[in-house]
Amino acid sequence: MSEQINPYVSVDCVLLGFDGEQFNVLVVRQCSSGGGESTGSYKLPGSLVYMDENLDEAAHRVLKQLTGLTQVNMMQFRAFGGPDRLKNPEDGMWLERFHHLEHHLERIVTIAYMSLLRIDRKMLKLEGGYEAQWTPLAQLPKLAFDHSDIVHAAMSSIKDRATLNPTILFDLLPKKFTASQLRILMESVLDVKFDIKNFHKKLAQMRYVVPLDEKEDGVSHRAARYYKFRKPRKSM
């Protein structure tokens, strides 16, 4: 693959995970090319694209380079091209240093990708030298560029999608989950508060949620029943 950079187009990856209690966003440090020196600012995993790669290839390349994660299913969800994306001069200078560019960057269009992930052991094995880490959404610091806006747009997109099709949220849950985990997840996404008793009634109406003859083990509170997700059959 050529190392020639397209200085006007980038990709950014919004990886959203649920740890059973809250939403997390995967962020990395603004480090020098190859890792190492850090500016202290956090950003989404992303970078400019090479001239001879398509956007999907670029998204998977930078994700592996900055976080070590591979085989993550991502989808494009929006383009961001506002004229003020580089309003902070430090962001532009960092990007120029990172890619060893000889000219000043004034405007970049980024294609944002999104993925909903279950934070399991595999997802916690982060590498790449860019201090990749899962950060609770509620504790997310102000990110470089317009990445805070991109995260907000991703959450808004998930809310719209989940309102029409709640089954997409089950990618975020363990294979066996409790009613409490599902309730907290739905409250986080839909920005609502469910009455616990009413939620159990709602749960009973979800034909794609199957109760199991298993309960939590080794917990200090009353053991909760486990459920599993059964993918609905497509109508003919």
Side-chain angles (χ1 to χ4, degrees), residues 120-134:
D120 54 17
R121 291 181 181 179
K122 178 183 177 182
M123 286 297 115
L124 290 173
K125 294 180 180 179
L126 303 174
E127 304 170 357
Y130 296 88
E131 300 181 40
Q133 61 181 274
W134 289 101

Side-chain angles (χ1 to χ4, degrees), residues 7 32 46 50 60 67-68 72 74 82 86 95 146-147 161 174 176 178 180 186 210 217 225:
S32 59
Y50 292 137
H60 287 285
T67 72
V72 174
M74 295 183 288
L86 295 179
L95 200 56
D146 57 349
H147 290 187
R161 294 169 187 267
K176 296 188 301 183
T178 64
S180 177
M186 294 185 69
V210 181
D217 185 35
R225 177 187 293 274

Side-chain angles (χ1 to χ4, degrees), residues 89-128:
E90 294 183 0
D91 290 333
M93 289 188 291
W94 171 81
L95 200 56
E96 292 161 13
R97 291 195 305 269
F98 185 87
H99 289 290
H100 309 293
L101 300 177
E102 297 180 356
H103 65 281
H104 177 62
L105 294 175
E106 295 184 357
R107 187 168 184 177
I108 299 172
V109 173
T110 195
I111 308 302
Y113 283 75
M114 178 173 63
S115 184
L116 298 178
L117 299 169
R118 178 187 307 119
I119 301 181
D120 54 17
R121 291 181 181 179
K122 178 183 177 182
M123 286 297 115
L124 290 173
K125 294 180 180 179
L126 303 174
E127 304 170 357

Side-chain angles (χ1 to χ4, degrees), residues 12 30 34 39 43 51 58 83 97 124 127 150 166 207 222-223 234:
D12 286 299
Q30 279 186 326
T39 66
K43 62 185 287 291
M51 285 293 193
R97 291 195 305 269
L124 290 173
E127 304 170 357
I150 294 176
R207 296 184 178 181
R222 182 181 178 183
K234 294 183 178 179

Side-chain angles (χ1 to χ4, degrees), residues 175-178 210-217 223-228:
K175 291 183 178 180
K176 296 188 301 183
F177 54 87
T178 64
V210 181
L212 301 175
D213 293 327
E214 298 180 52
K215 292 187 176 183
E216 291 178 302
D217 185 35
R225 177 187 293 274
Y226 280 120
Y227 296 82
K228 72 175 183 179

Side-chain angles (χ1 to χ4, degrees), residues 113-173:
Y113 283 75
M114 178 173 63
S115 184
L116 298 178
L117 299 169
R118 178 187 307 119
I119 301 181
D120 54 17
R121 291 181 181 179
K122 178 183 177 182
M123 286 297 115
L124 290 173
K125 294 180 180 179
L126 303 174
E127 304 170 357
Y130 296 88
E131 300 181 40
Q133 61 181 274
W134 289 101
T135 302
L137 182 62
Q139 300 173 23
L140 198 66
K142 181 173 176 55
L143 303 178
F145 303 99
D146 57 349
H147 290 187
S148 295
D149 294 335
I150 294 176
V151 171
H152 180 77
M155 289 300 299
S156 179
S157 176
I158 293 171
K159 179 179 179 179
D160 292 341
R161 294 169 187 267
T163 299
L164 296 174
N165 179 19
T167 64
I168 67 170
L169 298 179
F170 290 89
D171 287 340
L172 291 157
L173 291 168

